[in-house]
Amino acid sequence: MSISPHDRLHDLALSLGADAVGWAPAQVPRAAVDEYARWLEAGRHAGMSYLERQLPVRADPTQRLSGVQSVLVLGVSHAFALPPVPEGGVRVGRVARYAWTPDYHDQLQPVLSQLEAEAARLGVRARGYVDHGPVMERLFASGAFLGWRGKSGMLVSTQLGAFVTLAVLLTDLPHPGDQAAHPDRCGRCLRCVTACPTAAIGPDRAIDARRCVSYLTIEHRGPVPPELRAGMGEWLFGCDVCSEVCPWTLKAGPLAQLLKPDPELAHPDLTRFFGVSEREFERQWAGTAFLRPRRKGMARNALTVLGNMRAPQGWPLLLMGAQDPAWEVREAAAWALGQWGETGKVRPLLDDPHEAVRATAEHALGTTSTRP
């Protein structure tokens, strides 16, 4: 008996390393579009203005692939076990698990390319995306029975937990069945909501990016709002709190098979964000998620973490930050020095050429107490 194109593509995706695979209809319900539009209208996308521009395309997958009828959804776990901390350097703070590996976009694109090639061989038109295109992956993942949108707004799977990277293959194959969306398995649990350090999760299973630590450490440009800095805690890049407290994540445990963590990404040396040019930073961190916030964003994040944790080994970086060529970094240094109670090191920043740095220095001198 011949194998259908649906089964061939499904089995190939599994053989290439996907942890879960399923088919979903390519239709985006009107209710989902309206909900997304309301989220945008409320400003909860923060500075990600591109999301507004992309809404028409997200609402209509035919703009990505004409004649699209079904979507092959791949779930790839990034539930890694914590790798050992490398020796040397200032290794303070936490990095979100998905960034422990070289950029997953680059790693999953070859998988999609092989699926596209196999689809073409079968006479199927197909186009793959790894969350860099305007596609509603989580909605399709739910339709493919991979999981459901949890109260954190993240996709949750009974098999994989909440540490799931999604990739999709749009195809012109008819949907193979009448499979319903995955049922909600959150029940009355509110662990993700109550654990969020900045109260960014709303009652409608949507995140307010303006308060989200992941947004603030990755996408946000300029200083982090002062009232949210303490909530950033030890998060240097991204945040896993809502995903790691999920009972389904705890049940799944570490099970990633395709992606492999790199200790230098899970525990980066903070000194590498200071005293280097943007070009050198890009060379050092090529192929990693750290390029997204850029050098000054990572230095800003490092100083925020050091201001919260007051790790003694980070002291030289506070001094370097106060002399950094980027005003955003000097502003973060002024705040961090204030948290340490180092008024003598804050005072020179009262004469900084940038108004925001001077304002933060003034505030630090007005509110800080003597360092113990």
Side-chain angles (χ1 to χ4, degrees), residues 78-110:
H78 56 270
F80 308 118
L82 183 67
V85 181
E87 294 183 1
V90 179
R91 302 184 187 275
V92 178
R94 297 184 64 189
V95 173
R97 276 176 174 80
Y98 83 86
W100 291 3
T101 182
D103 197 326
Y104 65 86
H105 299 89
D106 297 337
Q107 296 190 74
L108 295 184
Q109 191 56 55

mmCIF file of all heavy atoms in Angstrom, residues 78-110:
data_model
loop_
_atom_site.group_PDB
_atom_site.id
_atom_site.type_symbol
_atom_site.label_atom_id
_atom_site.label_comp_id
_atom_site.label_asym_id
_atom_site.label_seq_id
_atom_site.Cartn_x
_atom_site.Cartn_y
_atom_site.Cartn_z
ATOM 1 N N HIS A 78 13.152 22.349 23.622
ATOM 2 C CA HIS A 78 14.403 22.931 24.113
ATOM 3 C C HIS A 78 14.449 22.805 25.640
ATOM 4 O O HIS A 78 14.974 23.673 26.344
ATOM 5 C CB HIS A 78 14.592 24.381 23.643
ATOM 6 C CG HIS A 78 13.494 25.324 23.985
ATOM 7 N ND1 HIS A 78 12.404 25.547 23.179
ATOM 8 C CD2 HIS A 78 13.305 26.135 25.052
ATOM 9 C CE1 HIS A 78 11.607 26.442 23.718
ATOM 10 N NE2 HIS A 78 12.141 26.811 24.870
ATOM 11 N N ALA A 79 13.909 21.694 26.133
ATOM 12 C CA ALA A 79 13.944 21.399 27.571
ATOM 13 C C ALA A 79 15.276 20.740 27.897
ATOM 14 O O ALA A 79 15.373 19.535 28.121
ATOM 15 C CB ALA A 79 12.776 20.486 27.950
ATOM 16 N N PHE A 80 16.319 21.556 27.905
ATOM 17 C CA PHE A 80 17.665 21.051 28.159
ATOM 18 C C PHE A 80 17.929 20.864 29.646
ATOM 19 O O PHE A 80 17.399 21.589 30.483
ATOM 20 C CB PHE A 80 18.721 22.040 27.630
ATOM 21 C CG PHE A 80 18.533 22.458 26.205
ATOM 22 C CD1 PHE A 80 18.302 23.784 25.884
ATOM 23 C CD2 PHE A 80 18.610 21.535 25.182
ATOM 24 C CE1 PHE A 80 18.152 24.195 24.581
ATOM 25 C CE2 PHE A 80 18.460 21.924 23.863
ATOM 26 C CZ PHE A 80 18.226 23.254 23.561
ATOM 27 N N ALA A 81 18.806 19.920 29.949
ATOM 28 C CA ALA A 81 19.389 19.871 31.288
ATOM 29 C C ALA A 81 20.436 20.980 31.369
ATOM 30 O O ALA A 81 21.077 21.312 30.368
ATOM 31 C CB ALA A 81 20.029 18.509 31.525
ATOM 32 N N LEU A 82 20.599 21.565 32.548
ATOM 33 C CA LEU A 82 21.530 22.674 32.714
ATOM 34 C C LEU A 82 22.966 22.195 32.504
ATOM 35 O O LEU A 82 23.439 21.292 33.188
ATOM 36 C CB LEU A 82 21.399 23.274 34.114
ATOM 37 C CG LEU A 82 22.262 24.499 34.405
ATOM 38 C CD1 LEU A 82 21.798 25.679 33.562
ATOM 39 C CD2 LEU A 82 22.185 24.851 35.891
ATOM 40 N N PRO A 83 23.678 22.796 31.522
ATOM 41 C CA PRO A 83 25.069 22.394 31.302
ATOM 42 C C PRO A 83 25.980 22.959 32.385
ATOM 43 O O PRO A 83 25.604 23.892 33.096
ATOM 44 C CB PRO A 83 25.394 22.995 29.928
ATOM 45 C CG PRO A 83 24.489 24.176 29.818
ATOM 46 C CD PRO A 83 23.232 23.802 30.555
ATOM 47 N N PRO A 84 27.180 22.420 32.517
ATOM 48 C CA PRO A 84 28.108 22.914 33.557
ATOM 49 C C PRO A 84 28.568 24.339 33.258
ATOM 50 O O PRO A 84 28.595 24.771 32.107
ATOM 51 C CB PRO A 84 29.273 21.928 33.469
ATOM 52 C CG PRO A 84 29.219 21.395 32.067
ATOM 53 C CD PRO A 84 27.762 21.321 31.728
ATOM 54 N N VAL A 85 28.923 25.048 34.315
ATOM 55 C CA VAL A 85 29.411 26.419 34.169
ATOM 56 C C VAL A 85 30.882 26.388 33.759
ATOM 57 O O VAL A 85 31.704 25.778 34.458
ATOM 58 C CB VAL A 85 29.258 27.205 35.488
ATOM 59 C CG1 VAL A 85 29.759 28.640 35.312
ATOM 60 C CG2 VAL A 85 27.813 27.201 35.945
ATOM 61 N N PRO A 86 31.260 27.037 32.644
ATOM 62 C CA PRO A 86 32.668 27.064 32.243
ATOM 63 C C PRO A 86 33.510 27.814 33.271
ATOM 64 O O PRO A 86 33.008 28.642 34.025
ATOM 65 C CB PRO A 86 32.636 27.809 30.898
ATOM 66 C CG PRO A 86 31.225 27.691 30.412
ATOM 67 C CD PRO A 86 30.387 27.694 31.660
ATOM 68 N N GLU A 87 34.792 27.541 33.265
ATOM 69 C CA GLU A 87 35.685 28.213 34.190
ATOM 70 C C GLU A 87 36.026 29.620 33.700
ATOM 71 O O GLU A 87 36.002 29.906 32.507
ATOM 72 C CB GLU A 87 36.977 27.405 34.346
ATOM 73 C CG GLU A 87 36.786 26.052 35.004
ATOM 74 C CD GLU A 87 38.096 25.317 35.201
ATOM 75 O OE1 GLU A 87 39.149 25.891 34.836
ATOM 76 O OE2 GLU A 87 38.080 24.184 35.714
ATOM 77 N N GLY A 88 36.344 30.507 34.657
ATOM 78 C CA GLY A 88 36.797 31.851 34.325
ATOM 79 C C GLY A 88 35.663 32.790 33.976
ATOM 80 O O GLY A 88 34.524 32.392 33.749
ATOM 81 N N GLY A 89 36.006 34.082 33.950
ATOM 82 C CA GLY A 89 35.031 35.085 33.568
ATOM 83 C C GLY A 89 34.059 35.442 34.682
ATOM 84 O O GLY A 89 34.132 34.932 35.803
ATOM 85 N N VAL A 90 33.135 36.345 34.340
ATOM 86 C CA VAL A 90 32.070 36.749 35.257
ATOM 87 C C VAL A 90 30.786 36.118 34.733
ATOM 88 O O VAL A 90 30.162 36.621 33.809
ATOM 89 C CB VAL A 90 31.935 38.284 35.312
ATOM 90 C CG1 VAL A 90 30.805 38.684 36.250
ATOM 91 C CG2 VAL A 90 33.250 38.911 35.769
ATOM 92 N N ARG A 91 30.417 35.015 35.306
ATOM 93 C CA ARG A 91 29.280 34.248 34.800
ATOM 94 C C ARG A 91 28.125 34.356 35.786
ATOM 95 O O ARG A 91 27.873 33.461 36.595
ATOM 96 C CB ARG A 91 29.693 32.811 34.528
ATOM 97 C CG ARG A 91 30.861 32.739 33.511
ATOM 98 C CD ARG A 91 31.248 31.337 33.141
ATOM 99 N NE ARG A 91 32.451 31.321 32.303
ATOM 100 C CZ ARG A 91 32.452 31.463 30.980
ATOM 101 N NH1 ARG A 91 31.304 31.627 30.335
ATOM 102 N NH2 ARG A 91 33.588 31.438 30.304
ATOM 103 N N VAL A 92 27.454 35.485 35.707
ATOM 104 C CA VAL A 92 26.354 35.813 36.601
ATOM 105 C C VAL A 92 25.093 36.004 35.760
ATOM 106 O O VAL A 92 25.153 36.543 34.649
ATOM 107 C CB VAL A 92 26.654 37.111 37.386
ATOM 108 C CG1 VAL A 92 25.480 37.484 38.273
ATOM 109 C CG2 VAL A 92 27.918 36.936 38.216
ATOM 110 N N GLY A 93 23.962 35.586 36.283
ATOM 111 C CA GLY A 93 22.707 35.788 35.573
ATOM 112 C C GLY A 93 22.260 34.540 34.825
ATOM 113 O O GLY A 93 22.993 33.557 34.703
ATOM 114 N N ARG A 94 21.019 34.616 34.319
ATOM 115 C CA ARG A 94 20.410 33.473 33.638
ATOM 116 C C ARG A 94 20.030 33.833 32.211
ATOM 117 O O ARG A 94 19.662 34.974 31.911
ATOM 118 C CB ARG A 94 19.171 33.010 34.399
ATOM 119 C CG ARG A 94 19.426 32.509 35.805
ATOM 120 C CD ARG A 94 18.137 31.974 36.429
ATOM 121 N NE ARG A 94 17.651 30.806 35.690
ATOM 122 C CZ ARG A 94 16.462 30.235 35.910
ATOM 123 N NH1 ARG A 94 15.647 30.732 36.830
ATOM 124 N NH2 ARG A 94 16.094 29.183 35.213
ATOM 125 N N VAL A 95 20.064 32.828 31.364
ATOM 126 C CA VAL A 95 19.689 32.963 29.957
ATOM 127 C C VAL A 95 18.530 32.002 29.685
ATOM 128 O O VAL A 95 18.546 30.856 30.150
ATOM 129 C CB VAL A 95 20.890 32.616 29.044
ATOM 130 C CG1 VAL A 95 20.471 32.572 27.580
ATOM 131 C CG2 VAL A 95 22.018 33.622 29.256
ATOM 132 N N ALA A 96 17.533 32.456 28.942
ATOM 133 C CA ALA A 96 16.405 31.596 28.595
ATOM 134 C C ALA A 96 16.905 30.372 27.837
ATOM 135 O O ALA A 96 17.829 30.447 27.018
ATOM 136 C CB ALA A 96 15.402 32.365 27.740
ATOM 137 N N ARG A 97 16.299 29.237 28.090
ATOM 138 C CA ARG A 97 16.786 27.964 27.545
ATOM 139 C C ARG A 97 16.912 27.964 26.027
ATOM 140 O O ARG A 97 17.841 27.377 25.484
ATOM 141 C CB ARG A 97 15.858 26.824 27.983
ATOM 142 C CG ARG A 97 16.161 26.270 29.360
ATOM 143 C CD ARG A 97 15.130 25.212 29.748
ATOM 144 N NE ARG A 97 15.442 24.555 31.003
ATOM 145 C CZ ARG A 97 15.197 25.065 32.205
ATOM 146 N NH1 ARG A 97 14.654 26.270 32.302
ATOM 147 N NH2 ARG A 97 15.499 24.401 33.304
ATOM 148 N N TYR A 98 15.977 28.573 25.332
ATOM 149 C CA TYR A 98 16.033 28.485 23.874
ATOM 150 C C TYR A 98 17.312 29.112 23.324
ATOM 151 O O TYR A 98 17.751 28.769 22.218
ATOM 152 C CB TYR A 98 14.800 29.135 23.235
ATOM 153 C CG TYR A 98 14.877 30.628 23.072
ATOM 154 C CD1 TYR A 98 15.470 31.204 21.951
ATOM 155 C CD2 TYR A 98 14.350 31.487 24.040
ATOM 156 C CE1 TYR A 98 15.544 32.579 21.794
ATOM 157 C CE2 TYR A 98 14.419 32.857 23.891
ATOM 158 C CZ TYR A 98 15.012 33.387 22.765
ATOM 159 O OH TYR A 98 15.089 34.756 22.609
ATOM 160 N N ALA A 99 17.928 30.025 24.086
ATOM 161 C CA ALA A 99 19.145 30.699 23.635
ATOM 162 C C ALA A 99 20.408 29.978 24.090
ATOM 163 O O ALA A 99 21.510 30.471 23.850
ATOM 164 C CB ALA A 99 19.154 32.144 24.127
ATOM 165 N N TRP A 100 20.278 28.809 24.726
ATOM 166 C CA TRP A 100 21.451 28.040 25.129
ATOM 167 C C TRP A 100 22.119 27.363 23.931
ATOM 168 O O TRP A 100 23.203 26.797 24.067
ATOM 169 C CB TRP A 100 21.072 26.953 26.136
ATOM 170 C CG TRP A 100 20.647 27.445 27.474
ATOM 171 C CD1 TRP A 100 20.509 28.743 27.885
ATOM 172 C CD2 TRP A 100 20.258 26.633 28.589
ATOM 173 N NE1 TRP A 100 20.066 28.791 29.180
ATOM 174 C CE2 TRP A 100 19.898 27.511 29.639
ATOM 175 C CE3 TRP A 100 20.169 25.267 28.801
ATOM 176 C CZ2 TRP A 100 19.469 27.045 30.881
ATOM 177 C CZ3 TRP A 100 19.736 24.796 30.032
ATOM 178 C CH2 TRP A 100 19.402 25.682 31.063
ATOM 179 N N THR A 101 21.464 27.382 22.813
ATOM 180 C CA THR A 101 21.964 26.728 21.613
ATOM 181 C C THR A 101 22.145 27.779 20.529
ATOM 182 O O THR A 101 21.489 28.830 20.580
ATOM 183 C CB THR A 101 20.967 25.643 21.151
ATOM 184 O OG1 THR A 101 21.462 24.971 20.004
ATOM 185 C CG2 THR A 101 19.623 26.241 20.819
ATOM 186 N N PRO A 102 23.041 27.565 19.573
ATOM 187 C CA PRO A 102 23.115 28.511 18.452
ATOM 188 C C PRO A 102 21.735 28.729 17.847
ATOM 189 O O PRO A 102 20.859 27.852 17.905
ATOM 190 C CB PRO A 102 24.064 27.811 17.484
ATOM 191 C CG PRO A 102 24.958 27.004 18.375
ATOM 192 C CD PRO A 102 24.067 26.524 19.489
ATOM 193 N N ASP A 103 21.523 29.885 17.270
ATOM 194 C CA ASP A 103 20.212 30.338 16.795
ATOM 195 C C ASP A 103 19.384 29.208 16.181
ATOM 196 O O ASP A 103 19.771 28.604 15.186
ATOM 197 C CB ASP A 103 20.400 31.442 15.759
ATOM 198 C CG ASP A 103 19.124 32.224 15.528
ATOM 199 O OD1 ASP A 103 18.028 31.627 15.599
ATOM 200 O OD2 ASP A 103 19.205 33.442 15.267
ATOM 201 N N TYR A 104 18.258 28.907 16.821
ATOM 202 C CA TYR A 104 17.433 27.788 16.362
ATOM 203 C C TYR A 104 16.855 28.019 14.968
ATOM 204 O O TYR A 104 16.540 27.056 14.261
ATOM 205 C CB TYR A 104 16.321 27.482 17.366
ATOM 206 C CG TYR A 104 15.286 28.574 17.530
ATOM 207 C CD1 TYR A 104 14.188 28.659 16.691
ATOM 208 C CD2 TYR A 104 15.387 29.503 18.564
ATOM 209 C CE1 TYR A 104 13.221 29.646 16.850
ATOM 210 C CE2 TYR A 104 14.442 30.492 18.733
ATOM 211 C CZ TYR A 104 13.361 30.555 17.876
ATOM 212 O OH TYR A 104 12.399 31.544 18.033
ATOM 213 N N HIS A 105 16.712 29.273 14.570
ATOM 214 C CA HIS A 105 16.266 29.536 13.199
ATOM 215 C C HIS A 105 17.221 28.889 12.200
ATOM 216 O O HIS A 105 16.799 28.218 11.260
ATOM 217 C CB HIS A 105 16.198 31.047 12.928
ATOM 218 C CG HIS A 105 15.252 31.792 13.805
ATOM 219 N ND1 HIS A 105 15.651 32.314 15.005
ATOM 220 C CD2 HIS A 105 13.946 32.100 13.656
ATOM 221 C CE1 HIS A 105 14.616 32.922 15.581
ATOM 222 N NE2 HIS A 105 13.574 32.801 14.785
ATOM 223 N N ASP A 106 18.526 29.101 12.441
ATOM 224 C CA ASP A 106 19.537 28.557 11.542
ATOM 225 C C ASP A 106 19.574 27.040 11.595
ATOM 226 O O ASP A 106 19.874 26.376 10.594
ATOM 227 C CB ASP A 106 20.916 29.114 11.890
ATOM 228 C CG ASP A 106 21.003 30.627 11.707
ATOM 229 O OD1 ASP A 106 20.198 31.181 10.927
ATOM 230 O OD2 ASP A 106 21.859 31.257 12.361
ATOM 231 N N GLN A 107 19.275 26.471 12.769
ATOM 232 C CA GLN A 107 19.334 25.017 12.903
ATOM 233 C C GLN A 107 18.105 24.324 12.323
ATOM 234 O O GLN A 107 18.197 23.202 11.812
ATOM 235 C CB GLN A 107 19.491 24.637 14.376
ATOM 236 C CG GLN A 107 20.805 25.109 14.986
ATOM 237 C CD GLN A 107 21.022 24.503 16.349
ATOM 238 O OE1 GLN A 107 21.337 23.329 16.476
ATOM 239 N NE2 GLN A 107 20.847 25.308 17.381
ATOM 240 N N LEU A 108 16.949 24.977 12.403
ATOM 241 C CA LEU A 108 15.723 24.342 11.913
ATOM 242 C C LEU A 108 15.460 24.615 10.440
ATOM 243 O O LEU A 108 14.701 23.884 9.803
ATOM 244 C CB LEU A 108 14.527 24.810 12.749
ATOM 245 C CG LEU A 108 14.541 24.386 14.222
ATOM 246 C CD1 LEU A 108 13.254 24.824 14.917
ATOM 247 C CD2 LEU A 108 14.707 22.878 14.353
ATOM 248 N N GLN A 109 16.082 25.668 9.892
ATOM 249 C CA GLN A 109 15.841 25.968 8.483
ATOM 250 C C GLN A 109 16.248 24.809 7.561
ATOM 251 O O GLN A 109 15.510 24.495 6.613
ATOM 252 C CB GLN A 109 16.577 27.245 8.074
ATOM 253 C CG GLN A 109 16.171 27.776 6.704
ATOM 254 C CD GLN A 109 14.674 28.019 6.597
ATOM 255 O OE1 GLN A 109 14.091 28.740 7.409
ATOM 256 N NE2 GLN A 109 14.032 27.400 5.614
ATOM 257 N N PRO A 110 17.389 24.128 7.802
ATOM 258 C CA PRO A 110 17.714 22.976 6.951
ATOM 259 C C PRO A 110 16.666 21.864 7.025
ATOM 260 O O PRO A 110 16.435 21.161 6.030
ATOM 261 C CB PRO A 110 19.066 22.498 7.497
ATOM 262 C CG PRO A 110 19.662 23.712 8.133
ATOM 263 C CD PRO A 110 18.496 24.458 8.708
#
